[in-house]
């Protein structure tokens, strides 16, 4: 395998959702299995031929309006779902915060959730023990660490989740939107941590609507609109175009 | 794509399952004991006081049937709903998906251990005693686990696409309850159905349990071979079916 400096490569990625459920779905699958199936008609294209790559140590922002396919794109990169067409390649350990509280259980204590999450991210017992203190300190939730997670505020939950994700020492950190629930202090702490992380040659991928934070943390941006990639360029020029929407000619999928 | 410590993950998922299950209960794990005990008293009353029967150690006889059946029924239906119940995990964390139904099946093992403890107490109290063939028990239980894991993999995957799979499983369990020899001895089953019974892993398990616990003899070779065949066949079909179905889990959860 050739070792290059690209951490993430997406090539002509298509993702299509079929909107059938229940009975219709069963009928359609049975038909397909027994060979007299027709092509399902009710489809929704969430991503239409998106291509970009991210170099190791780079920060990439994904912007676009609601429903543009940003979160679907992250899911494909993280490997939660396969693209219908095209290829995705990611090098190294990935830690993703795609939704507040995913992988956490409200009835488990903070400590138990830290262990569960470290395991979900691929850590073993030894590694988890070694980083535990650091996680709790960074999150600043030591007083509540033995309480069930359902007693936490969403800000505290974010602190713990972010803290686990950065402490499993990933090569690629992926965050979807959730940083917004942290308070100003913690957001500053996160920004410093992410910048330090990038200086160490790690890759950062982020979906957000907070322009100021993105401008600080990322060098490049991808602009998605209805599943199509409108632009992939330096972050300031992408934001310029994004904010003056309509001025840019719509680029069709490659 | 996920490279991590499978065992540590499995352990944490299992721990999560029964911490969540027992933490908010006042009686906690006692339920695992109380539930079969209450049923046992009721059945014992019905089948010794209302209908009389010639079976010796009737409570033990039933226990040998109900413990394996309960384990199978609960593990199969928990396993079936496991993917849908953990939709948050499946949609947001890139862990190998197979581990979710398997953890769900394995987290019922504590339950099983407690009920086997109950069985052991009955064995000692009724004066039947433990014999050397008890060494077969871990083997047949392991085969049972293999079988349930296969079933859970397959049906949990179906359940993602067609949510009434769980009701099919629940109904099947009700039917199965009467089609395995829990209340009646295998010897009463007509000859032409007997071979069929031995291919039903739950029935085979119960027969093996009774041979070991009540008759103090080793389970027959043909029964063990059939049990092994069916268990690994189920696991194979389960894994293959799961692999075929998992690429679209994300879309339907």
């Amino acid at each position: 395998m050739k070792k290059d400096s690209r951490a993430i490569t997406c090539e002509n990625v298509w993702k299509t959702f079929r909107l059938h459920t229940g009975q219709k779905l069963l009928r359609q699958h049975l038909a397909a299995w027994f060979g007299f199936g027709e092509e399902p008609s009710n489809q929704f294209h969430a991503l239409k031929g998106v291509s970009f790559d991210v170099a190791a140590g780079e920060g990439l922002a994904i912007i676009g309006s609601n429903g543009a396919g940003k979160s679907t794109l992250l899911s494909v990169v993280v490997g939660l779902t396969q693209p219908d067409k095209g290829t995705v390649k990611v090098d190294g350990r990935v830690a993703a915060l795609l939704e507040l509280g995913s992988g956490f259980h409200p009835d488990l204590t903070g400590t138990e959730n830290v262990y569960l999450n470290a395991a979900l991210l691929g850590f073993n017992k030894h590694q988890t023990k070694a980083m535990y203190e650091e996680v709790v300190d960074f999150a600043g939730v030591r007083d509540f660490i033995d309480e069930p997670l359902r007693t936490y505020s969403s800000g505290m939950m974010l602190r713990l989740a972010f803290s686990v994700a950065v402490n499993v020492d990933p090569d690629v950190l992926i965050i979807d939107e959730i940083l917004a629930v942290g308070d100003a202090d913690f957001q500053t702490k996160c920004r410093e941590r992410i910048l330090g992380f990038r200086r160490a040659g790690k890759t950062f991928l982020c979906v957000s609507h907070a322009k100021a934070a993105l401008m600080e943390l990322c060098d490049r941006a991808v602009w998605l609109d209805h599943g199509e990639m409108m632009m992939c360029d330096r972050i300031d020029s992408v934001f310029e175009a994004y904010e003056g929407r309509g001025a840019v000619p719509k680029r069709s999928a490659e | 794509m996920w490279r991590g410590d499978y065992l540590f993950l499995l352990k944490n998922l299992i721990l999560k399952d029964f911490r969540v299950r027992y933490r908010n209960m006042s009686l906690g794990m006692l339920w695992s004991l109380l539930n079969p005990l209450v049923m046992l008293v009721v059945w014992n009353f019905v089948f010794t006081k209302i209908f009389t029967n010639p079976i010796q150690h009737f409570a033990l006889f039933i226990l040998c049937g109900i413990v394996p059946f309960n384990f199978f029924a609960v593990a199969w239906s928990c396993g079936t709903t496991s993917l849908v119940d953990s939709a948050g995990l499946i949609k947001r964390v890139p862990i190998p998906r197979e581990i979710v139904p398997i953890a769900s099946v394995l987290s019922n093992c504590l339950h099983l251990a407690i009920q086997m403890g109950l069985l052991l107490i009955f064995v000692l109290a009724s004066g039947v005693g433990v014999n050397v063939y008890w060494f077969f028990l871990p083997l047949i239980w392991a085969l049972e686990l293999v079988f349930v894991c296969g079933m859970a993999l397959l049906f949990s995957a179906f359940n993602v696409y067609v949510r009434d799979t769980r009701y099919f499983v629940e109904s099947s369990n009700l039917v199965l309850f009467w089609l395995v020899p829990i209340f009646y001895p295998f010897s009463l089953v007509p000859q032409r159905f007997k071979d069929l019974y031995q291919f039903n892993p739950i029935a085979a398990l119960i027969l093996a349990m009774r041979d070991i616990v009540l008759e103090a003899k080793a389970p027959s070779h043909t029964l063990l071979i059939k049990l092994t065949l069916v268990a690994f066949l189920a696991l194979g079909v389960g894994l293959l079916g799961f692999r075929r179905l998992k690429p679209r889990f994300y879309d339907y959860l």
Side-chain angles (χ1 to χ4, degrees):
Chain A
M1 214 165 69
K2 194 173 76 105
K3 177 89 185 151
D4 57 25
S5 62
R6 272 187 294 181
I8 304 172
T9 316
C10 286
E11 241 174 306
N12 190 29
V13 170
W14 283 76
K15 181 71 196 169
T16 306
F17 291 106
R18 289 167 202 162
L19 301 174
H20 287 165
T21 53
Q23 209 182 7
K24 249 182 160 173
L25 180 71
L26 181 65
R27 212 184 307 144
Q28 178 195 320
H29 272 270
L30 288 177
W33 275 346
F34 292 112
F36 46 89
E38 69 275 30
E39 191 58 23
S41 51
N42 209 356
Q43 292 189 339
F44 169 74
H45 301 289
L47 295 174
K48 304 170 188 165
V50 175
S51 305
F52 65 92
D53 46 45
V54 190
E58 208 179 11
L60 181 84
I62 300 172
I63 59 173
S65 40
N66 295 134
K70 304 185 295 294
S71 298
T72 305
L73 183 58
L74 287 192
S75 298
V76 172
V77 171
V78 173
L80 292 166
T81 177
Q82 265 77 52
D84 293 285
K85 253 193 279 175
T87 52
V88 177
K89 251 189 65 195
V90 182
D91 266 347
R93 184 199 292 279
V94 178
L97 292 172
L98 298 185
E99 196 179 314
L100 192 56
S102 63
F104 281 81
H105 197 287
D107 283 333
L108 298 181
T109 66
T111 304
E112 289 163 352
N113 271 305
V114 169
Y115 270 78
L116 176 62
N117 259 268
L120 290 170
L121 290 168
F123 254 34
N124 64 29
K125 189 178 177 179
H126 179 74
Q127 291 167 309
T128 309
K129 269 194 176 150
M131 71 153 186
Y132 175 77
E133 291 299 322
E134 170 73 23
V135 168
V136 178
D137 279 340
F138 186 82
V141 292
R142 191 171 287 283
D143 295 343
F144 301 93
I145 202 70
D146 291 319
E147 299 296 323
L149 204 77
R150 63 185 138 78
T151 63
Y152 283 35
S153 70
S154 47
M156 285 159 71
M157 215 149 94
L158 162 72
R159 281 161 173 266
L160 200 59
F162 182 84
S163 187
V164 175
V166 292
N167 277 298
V168 296
D169 190 31
D171 301 304
V172 180
L173 179 65
I174 297 181
I175 294 183
D176 190 351
E177 207 91 71
I178 67 171
L179 287 185
V181 298
D183 57 25
D185 279 351
F186 190 69
Q187 289 199 9
T188 311
K189 225 166 136 184
C190 289
R191 273 205 295 279
E192 278 163 11
R193 189 64 188 247
I194 292 169
L195 288 173
F197 181 80
R198 286 200 37 213
R199 276 194 295 275
K202 310 297 181 66
T203 309
F204 177 63
L205 195 58
C206 181
V207 163
S208 176
H209 295 288
K211 181 181 172 187
L214 286 181
M215 293 289 265
E216 192 183 344
L217 296 173
C218 305
D219 345 82
R220 287 200 305 142
V222 165
W223 168 19
L224 289 181
D225 185 62
H226 293 94
E228 281 181 48
M229 193 169 83
M230 308 296 288
M231 232 181 139
C232 175
D233 206 340
R234 289 173 45 83
I235 190 160
D236 39 1
S237 33
V238 173
F239 260 113
E240 201 178 310
Y242 176 63
E243 282 163 351
R245 259 164 289 191
V248 188
K250 210 172 177 183
R251 205 183 66 135
S252 65
E254 281 162 14
Chain B
M1 155 144 222
W2 189 88
R3 291 178 299 266
D5 188 331
Y6 282 85
L7 279 180
F8 186 58
L9 176 58
L10 192 61
K11 188 184 120 189
N12 273 283
L13 287 175
I14 293 170
L15 275 174
K16 179 196 85 172
D17 263 10
F18 57 73
R19 275 179 184 144
V20 168
R21 191 176 311 158
Y22 291 117
R23 182 156 292 166
N24 296 325
M25 290 184 186
S26 55
L27 290 181
M29 288 180 207
L30 220 55
W31 279 114
S32 308
L33 212 58
L34 220 56
N35 185 301
L37 215 52
V38 170
M39 296 316 279
L40 202 62
V41 170
V42 175
W43 288 326
N44 205 42
F45 171 75
V46 172
F47 288 100
T48 60
K49 300 291 182 277
I50 297 177
F51 303 105
T52 52
N53 76 75
I55 298 168
Q56 278 193 317
H57 304 299
F58 190 68
L60 208 50
F61 178 85
I62 288 189
L63 212 51
C64 282
I66 204 67
V67 171
F69 176 81
N70 267 352
F71 174 71
F72 172 77
V74 174
W76 188 25
S77 60
C78 283
T80 298
T81 54
S82 62
L83 286 175
V84 173
D85 293 343
S86 311
L89 220 54
I90 302 292
K91 288 202 77 163
R92 296 287 178 253
V93 190
I95 49 169
R97 278 75 196 274
E98 283 84 354
I99 215 161
V100 170
I102 290 176
S104 156
V105 167
L106 293 182
S107 69
N108 283 299
C109 284
L110 179 74
H111 216 54
L112 174 66
I114 292 172
Q115 299 199 353
M116 283 304 283
L118 183 70
L119 181 77
L120 184 65
I121 292 169
F122 267 77
V123 163
L124 296 176
S126 64
V128 173
V130 179
N131 59 66
V132 65
Y133 299 108
W134 279 57
F135 283 115
F136 274 105
L137 286 179
L139 172 71
I140 58 174
W141 276 113
L143 289 173
E144 189 68 11
L145 269 178
V146 169
F147 177 71
V148 190
C149 283
M151 295 290 274
L153 281 167
L154 189 64
F155 283 84
S156 62
F158 283 147
N159 196 45
V160 171
Y161 294 84
V162 183
R163 297 291 161 89
D164 23 13
T165 305
R166 58 175 295 195
Y167 299 111
F168 170 79
V169 168
E170 280 163 19
S171 311
S172 304
N173 276 333
L174 285 177
V175 173
L176 198 66
F177 183 79
W178 295 101
L179 290 186
V180 297
I182 295 174
F183 293 119
Y184 49 92
F186 185 54
S187 54
L188 287 184
V189 176
Q191 192 58 44
R192 60 201 158 116
F193 297 120
K194 274 190 173 162
D195 281 344
L196 218 55
Y197 262 73
Q198 288 194 352
F199 274 109
N200 174 352
I202 317 308
L205 184 70
I206 293 173
L207 297 180
M209 288 271 292
R210 287 198 179 135
D211 280 344
I212 293 165
V213 173
L214 293 169
E215 315 276 332
K217 66 179 188 191
S220 77
H221 287 90
T222 54
L223 187 143
L224 284 179
I225 290 168
K226 283 176 188 167
L227 187 59
T228 312
L229 276 179
V230 175
F232 281 94
L233 184 72
L235 186 66
V237 172
L239 281 171
L240 284 176
F242 197 91
R243 203 165 73 185
R244 173 101 193 254
L245 293 170
K246 75 177 169 181
R248 294 226 161 246
F249 283 173
Y250 179 90
D251 306 7
Y252 288 105
L253 280 173

